[in-house]
Amino acid sequence: MEKEKSPVKQGGNNKCVCKAAVIEVIVTESVVGSGSDADPIRKIVQYWSFEGELLAVSDPISRCGKIV
């Protein structure tokens, strides 16, 4: 069951968390990348449903290809 929370300011930035929920997922951490400039070695975090569906990936390389 989700519990709604009021918006909360994050540290010194202007981002605001509008919702937080406790959910059950499988979290995997993997080391990926070939070590090249285009594909550096890095850790990614993947979130999976219990049915095996990939829900989300957290990768330090942004969409524009730069390391965040």
Side-chain angles (χ1 to χ4, degrees):
M1 180 178 189
E2 289 187 16
K3 183 176 180 180
E4 297 276 337
K5 293 212 169 208
S6 299
V8 176
K9 288 276 186 184
Q10 291 282 320
N13 61 29
N14 291 326
K15 293 182 181 177
C16 181
V17 175
C18 296
K19 183 177 179 180
V22 176
I23 58 173
E24 291 188 27
V25 295
I26 298 167
V27 180
T28 61
E29 295 182 1
S30 304
V31 176
V32 299
S34 64
S36 69
D37 288 341
D39 187 25
I41 295 172
R42 63 205 181 272
K43 181 179 81 172
I44 64 168
V45 180
Q46 296 176 310
Y47 300 86
W48 302 83
S49 72
F50 289 115
E51 291 76 35
E53 177 185 1
L54 180 60
L55 303 171
V57 177
S58 176
D59 189 332
I61 295 183
S62 70
R63 290 184 201 161
C64 64
K66 295 181 181 176
I67 296 177
V68 178

